[in-house]
Amino acid sequence: MKELRVLSPTAILGYGFPMASFEEGMKRKPHVIAVDAGSTDPGPYYLGAGISFTDATAVKRDLSIMIEAAMKEDIPVIIGTAGGAGGEPHLQEVVDIIKAIAAEKKLTFKMAVIHAEIDKEMVAKKLADGKVSPLHPAPELTEGELEETERIVGQMGLEPIIKALDEGAQVIVAGRAYDPTVFAALAVKEGYDTGLALHMGKILECASIAATPGSGSDCMFGYLGDDYFKLEPLSPIRKCTTLSVAAHTLYEKTNPYVLPGPGGVIDLHDAKFEQETDSMVKVTGSKFIPSDAYTIKLEGAKKVGYRTVSIAGTRDSIMIGQIDAIVEEVKERVKDNFSDADFDYYLDFKIYGKNAVMGSLEPMNEITSHEIGIVIEAVADTQQIANTICSFARSTMLHYGYNGRISTAGNLAFPYSPSDFKAGEVYAFSLYHVVEVDPYELFPIDYMTVGEAL
Amino acid sequence: MKRRLKDIAEVIRSKNAGPYELTFDIIFKDWELFETACKHHIINKQVIASLYDIPITDVINIIEFKPAKAIKATIVRPMASGQLGETDVYGAQQHAPLVDLEVPF
């Protein structure tokens, strides 16, 4: 079987890549350029708010280079988890960027847009049918929690992307997609082994993070044969080593031997990593084991309020020595002051220098720093109430007469004016569940010709 | 003899494994250290539970991954990523107690 070649320009669309590396990749005549554009890692906000965590200008720069090169070589470009979270507004942002690129570069191509935002009623129906189960340790889904959810996406598998390739799409923009799929779809369509293709995709999705020195903003190249795949970084300063590639297999996963995805698992118990050349690694033995029922993952986020934060610091040893008590007393003052107002709010103080990074997991309780940072945070049903609570907590702490106080001018050092920041809507994850589905049913595809009429 | 984990490991890192799990990777400096670490089970459920003061049932697994000469531990996240009270959305700074962990060698 001939080798199938895949170019992964960057770990996340918009993270950028050096042109020299990209050109090295194009010299190797890839059959497809693919890129992962998203993650749940930045937290629930982006999914809930319908906003991308990468910047549109940076995304346009990356896509512009990729699409122009792909059209020149007549190969497809596949984008997974468009807009960072892969919901409808995220997808639309990337579609608009692609249309602008086509207009500017005078390119014409067939584009497939694969939707991944899932209707709440559909999930409710699946829930009632007992087809929805939590991914441990996420909690069981309740109807109430589902009702509050702002946006749900399903993580598509290979099938909808292969369908779009079959239909002759040259640019495929997928909403939420299992990260390796965009790299593996063409290979699986062409009859290559699914386990090897997905394992290769799992490493390519982070581009050069799997090389040493690693980088999320540099290209990686994959070569897939009938019983192996090879990985090669495209910058001369990086190398793939058996260790750098194997170590990447661990990354962000619960179990590196068994990687679950849509419709089955990648089984790596027999995977072997060999050093092929100084900078290239060969992997064999990865297997795909289909599951009995085809399941995909659902992700959802719900709005929990609006946030205001104030950032300050203190350098006073008397205050630092009793900071916990001061925080409790300030919280009490705030509560008492608005006891008649019927405000529903969350007020939190993060004390940098004391447990602010690890919270409940922190084993050290002693403050050893001569100064500490204080972040005051209020979350409430409206921005106005959050502003009120944060402002009052900040002014109370600034002038609070704690025990033994001798610095009577003010307790806090503020680096900024204004001292309080309106952070806007706050979201929380509400769905992280698997659902039994037909591989195509939740991911409708629109086809369109982009650019001038053919 | 007791040694600190940072003296025998090349990489000690933490990261979210999805929004509900936190995973720790310890990649050893050489094969001998990795094999000794595995033989003595220096990273086990009890060690992780004690280090982070969590119930042992919250330690999801401990996995030795030979291809990367690594031992991996995964725990239940104290809260879902980004929930109110969050301190580390990416979970990338929760490895710290492992760095100075004293291990019997």
Side-chain angles (χ1 to χ4, degrees):
Chain A
M1 214 169 194
K2 212 179 88 195
E3 270 182 346
L4 185 127
R5 298 180 294 274
V6 183
L7 172 59
S8 167
T10 185
I12 294 203
L13 186 62
Y15 276 18
F17 48 84
M19 267 320 282
S21 298
F22 184 81
E23 281 162 7
E24 274 303 311
M26 291 311 295
K27 277 186 206 165
R28 286 158 176 73
K29 299 280 173 201
H31 296 99
V32 57
I33 304 174
V35 69
D36 175 33
S39 175
T40 54
D41 243 17
Y45 173 78
Y46 303 94
L47 173 61
I51 287 169
S52 175
F53 67 92
T54 50
D55 179 77
T57 305
V59 167
K60 190 177 173 190
R61 180 267 179 194
D62 289 1
L63 268 184
S64 181
I65 294 164
M66 291 163 59
I67 292 176
E68 193 172 29
M71 291 310 119
K72 210 169 138 193
E73 297 296 323
D74 197 24
I75 58 170
V77 172
I78 311 178
I79 302 144
T81 311
E88 221 29 52
H90 309 95
L91 194 59
Q92 199 51 53
E93 180 179 304
V94 177
V95 166
D96 290 344
I97 290 170
I98 294 171
K99 286 179 177 169
I101 292 168
E104 278 169 33
K105 303 255 177 199
K106 302 205 183 320
L107 298 168
T108 303
F109 46 82
K110 184 173 179 178
M111 176 162 73
V113 179
I114 313 178
H115 302 271
E117 190 164 323
I118 313 288
D119 202 44
K120 248 193 247 186
E121 279 76 62
M122 201 290 302
V123 179
K125 201 170 156 290
K126 294 273 185 193
L127 183 65
D129 291 346
K131 304 278 188 194
V132 179
S133 48
L135 269 163
H136 177 81
E140 286 283 348
L141 181 63
T142 62
E143 280 176 39
E145 190 81 347
L146 183 60
E147 192 45 48
E148 279 183 54
T149 297
E150 186 83 17
R151 189 184 321 284
I152 304 168
V153 290
Q155 200 185 52
M156 73 182 76
L158 290 161
E159 295 79 359
I161 299 170
I162 291 175
K163 191 173 167 197
L165 284 168
D166 282 336
E167 294 291 328
Q170 290 168 283
V171 174
I172 299 172
V173 196
R176 187 68 175 123
Y178 177 48
D179 297 353
T181 51
V182 291
F183 305 92
L186 181 66
V188 175
K189 170 179 137 61
E190 301 286 328
Y192 289 82
D193 180 77
T194 307
L196 287 166
L198 285 174
H199 188 197
M200 183 173 84
K202 147 81 188 130
I203 298 167
L204 284 179
E205 58 123 330
C206 284
S208 266
I209 290 179
T212 181
S215 169
S217 50
D218 202 349
C219 313
M220 183 75 100
F221 205 84
Y223 305 82
L224 180 64
D226 59 353
D227 61 356
Y228 67 89
F229 67 87
K230 295 175 191 169
L231 295 160
E232 183 190 28
L234 295 166
S235 159
I237 66 159
R238 306 185 197 289
K239 291 180 193 318
C240 273
T241 67
T242 51
L243 216 60
S244 76
V245 172
H248 189 72
T249 303
L250 285 177
Y251 192 59
E252 295 178 337
K253 296 293 164 200
T254 314
N255 182 341
Y257 289 109
V258 184
L259 305 169
V265 300
I266 313 173
D267 183 326
L268 300 183
H269 283 97
D270 297 327
K272 287 200 168 50
F273 302 79
E274 295 164 70
Q275 198 70 41
E276 179 82 357
T277 70
D278 185 40
S279 68
M280 193 190 277
V281 164
K282 181 178 177 182
V283 183
T284 53
S286 325
K287 288 195 270 292
F288 180 73
I289 302 175
S291 46
D292 296 337
Y294 193 98
T295 59
I296 59 149
K297 184 164 74 176
L298 298 174
E299 295 160 356
K302 65 174 179 181
K303 188 156 61 171
V304 293
Y306 295 80
R307 178 181 278 137
T308 308
V309 296
S310 185
I311 300 171
T314 177
R315 180 66 177 78
D316 186 304
S317 59
I318 302 168
M319 178 162 170
I320 291 172
Q322 51 185 309
I323 190 69
D324 289 348
I326 293 169
V327 164
E328 286 315 309
E329 286 157 28
V330 169
K331 277 186 177 171
E332 202 47 52
R333 277 293 304 125
V334 176
K335 192 175 159 191
D336 176 68
N337 202 71
F338 296 107
S339 58
D340 293 336
D342 195 28
F343 288 159
D344 193 9
Y345 65 86
Y346 169 84
L347 175 62
D348 191 35
F349 293 72
K350 291 208 163 47
I351 310 298
Y352 282 90
K354 187 177 197 296
N355 301 354
V357 173
M358 294 194 58
S360 69
L361 296 178
E362 177 59 62
M364 274 174 62
N365 288 313
E366 286 289 298
I367 302 178
T368 53
S369 177
H370 60 283
E371 65 179 29
I372 56 176
I374 300 170
V375 176
I376 307 170
E377 172 197 18
V379 178
D381 292 340
T382 67
Q383 188 73 62
Q384 187 53 54
I385 299 172
N387 293 347
T388 300
I389 297 299
C390 184
S391 165
F392 192 85
R394 179 249 305 150
S395 60
T396 301
M397 194 172 216
L398 174 62
H399 299 294
Y400 192 71
Y402 56 83
N403 271 343
R405 182 193 198 217
I406 56 172
S407 66
T408 53
N411 304 324
L412 299 172
F414 294 103
Y416 309 113
S417 173
S419 60
D420 304 355
F421 301 87
K422 298 168 192 67
E425 295 165 324
V426 182
Y427 291 86
F429 282 115
S430 53
L431 258 95
Y432 197 66
H433 291 69
V434 289
V435 61
E436 271 183 55
V437 286
D438 169 89
Y440 302 95
E441 71 171 294
L442 301 179
F443 307 106
I445 311 176
D446 293 333
Y447 297 96
M448 61 197 77
T449 301
V450 178
E452 295 160 12
L454 282 168
Chain B
M1 187 179 144
K2 290 208 165 196
R3 300 172 81 172
R4 284 181 193 276
L5 205 51
K6 66 180 171 191
D7 298 324
I8 56 174
E10 188 177 291
V11 172
I12 301 174
R13 65 186 177 195
S14 66
K15 193 78 203 280
N16 294 342
Y20 291 88
E21 292 175 354
L22 198 57
T23 191
F24 304 94
D25 298 344
I26 302 152
I27 302 176
F28 291 84
K29 282 183 175 166
D30 60 45
W31 293 105
E32 200 187 327
L33 288 167
F34 168 68
E35 273 152 24
T36 313
C38 292
K39 201 174 93 190
H40 293 283
H41 301 289
I42 63 161
I43 304 298
N44 58 52
K45 285 193 173 187
Q46 189 56 56
V47 164
I48 297 293
S50 309
L51 200 56
Y52 289 95
D53 194 21
I54 54 173
I56 201 159
T57 47
D58 280 358
V59 182
I60 295 169
N61 61 28
I62 307 283
I63 291 183
E64 295 164 0
F65 189 57
K66 201 171 174 188
K69 56 179 191 313
I71 300 178
K72 187 175 186 59
T74 302
I75 67 170
V76 175
R77 228 175 174 283
M79 61 182 70
S81 166
Q83 201 169 305
L84 291 185
E86 177 63 271
T87 59
D88 184 1
V89 170
Y90 290 72
Q93 279 296 307
Q94 305 304 308
H95 64 291
L98 283 165
V99 172
D100 291 312
L101 177 71
E102 279 196 345
V103 292
F105 248 59

